[in-house]
Amino acid sequence: TQLLEQSPQFLSIQEGENLTVYCNSSSVFSSLQWYRQEPGEGPVLLVTVVTGGEVKKLKRLTFQFGDARKDSSLHITAAQPGDTGLYLCAGGPHQTGANNLFFGTGTRLTVIP
Amino acid sequence: SAVISQKPSRDICQRGTSLTIQCQVDSQVTMMFWYRQQPGQSLTLIATANQGSEATYESGFVIDKFPISRPNLTFSTLTVSNMSPEDSSIYLCSVTPDRLRETQYFGPGTRLLVL
């Protein structure tokens, strides 16, 4: 089983603050995705990173894939109430042709206006 | 991307009964998956729905409890059989449009409460 541990599990911050969510594993992944899930909806894909050391930016969100492709981080700058939700990382297995995703334990973010 | 719908969106069921959840995609996709998400938790993969062959189940999930159909490349069903309160959860289908990519797109989920 390829486990992905996320930290922190819960995070409550004031609007305008910065935060970082971590996703760690002892396994190597071919790719790493980040999803956000809002109440009553399915997870929505934010980004996919595939190269060790890769950094992607999506407006105020910065995603990084670790050099060894075992970990990832999500940094949010100047958080907004609209960023509130459950953030999930998911790793693609290190096997060509396989399609399973292994989901992290999740980080529930609340941004207080 | 792909647009995915699920029916029903929510249901309340009595223990011992069964519920079939439908997943419809707006385009043909190679892979479809069914997940369970218990309240406040992350996602657990139930099975991969294979078109033209039997579904592939993950450890801890069996066909008798969660039979799956995949009659074509745009549709799948998951049945939760002989339900108990422990089956209360959100059930999500997802698809990956490209066989070589791991990225998945999710439906809105079906919220099930078993009394």
Side-chain angles (χ1 to χ4, degrees):
Chain A
T1 302
Q2 297 170 280
L3 298 176
L4 283 161
E5 295 287 337
Q6 288 183 236
S7 61
Q9 185 178 0
F10 298 96
L11 187 57
S12 182
I13 62 172
Q14 294 290 328
E15 181 176 358
E17 293 184 350
N18 303 331
L19 67 113
T20 301
V21 177
Y22 299 93
C23 174
N24 295 295
S25 176
S26 58
S27 300
V28 175
F29 292 96
S30 58
S31 66
L32 203 295
Q33 290 89 47
W34 283 92
Y35 293 82
R36 180 172 64 214
Q37 184 179 23
E38 298 184 23
E41 299 182 8
V44 175
L45 178 68
L46 296 175
V47 77
T48 301
V49 286
V50 296
T51 305
E54 182 177 3
V55 176
K56 279 192 175 179
K57 291 191 175 184
L58 183 65
K59 297 183 179 178
R60 295 177 292 101
L61 279 61
T62 301
F63 305 85
Q64 183 162 10
F65 200 10
D67 291 340
R69 294 191 293 176
K70 293 182 178 181
D71 55 86
S72 181
S73 64
L74 158 61
H75 182 79
I76 301 179
T77 303
Q80 303 294 312
D83 296 327
T84 293
L86 177 66
Y87 287 81
L88 296 160
C89 64
H94 200 53
Q95 295 171 255
T96 301
N99 294 93
N100 292 21
L101 280 182
F102 298 90
F103 278 85
T105 49
T107 295
R108 189 165 297 279
L109 171 66
T110 302
V111 181
I112 303 166
Chain B
S1 64
V3 178
I4 304 161
S5 60
Q6 286 185 233
K7 290 182 182 179
S9 59
R10 60 180 65 239
D11 207 343
I12 301 173
C13 301
Q14 297 296 320
R15 70 171 65 211
T17 63
S18 298
L19 176 71
T20 295
I21 303 168
Q22 299 178 6
C23 179
Q24 180 75 52
V25 189
D26 67 342
S27 58
Q28 293 186 344
V29 294
T30 303
M31 306 294 286
M32 294 181 76
F33 305 91
W34 287 98
Y35 288 85
R36 182 172 71 185
Q37 185 178 29
Q38 294 181 312
Q41 303 294 314
S42 185
L43 278 67
T44 301
L45 181 64
I46 298 172
T48 302
N50 302 308
Q51 196 271 329
S53 63
E54 195 171 277
T56 305
Y57 289 84
E58 297 299 305
S59 176
F61 297 96
V62 295
I63 188 171
D64 290 346
K65 176 66 176 178
F66 297 102
I68 288 171
S69 77
R70 180 86 192 272
N72 56 52
L73 292 176
T74 63
F75 186 79
S76 178
T77 67
L78 168 74
T79 299
V80 186
S81 303
N82 188 26
M83 289 183 285
S84 66
E86 292 71 32
D87 294 320
S88 298
S89 193
I90 300 171
Y91 291 86
L92 296 147
C93 74
S94 72
V95 305
T96 178
D98 184 335
R99 187 178 182 83
L100 297 179
R101 299 170 65 96
E102 297 90 359
T103 302
Q104 293 181 17
Y105 299 93
F106 285 84
T110 295
R111 280 143 192 81
L112 173 61
L113 176 63
V114 184
L115 302 177

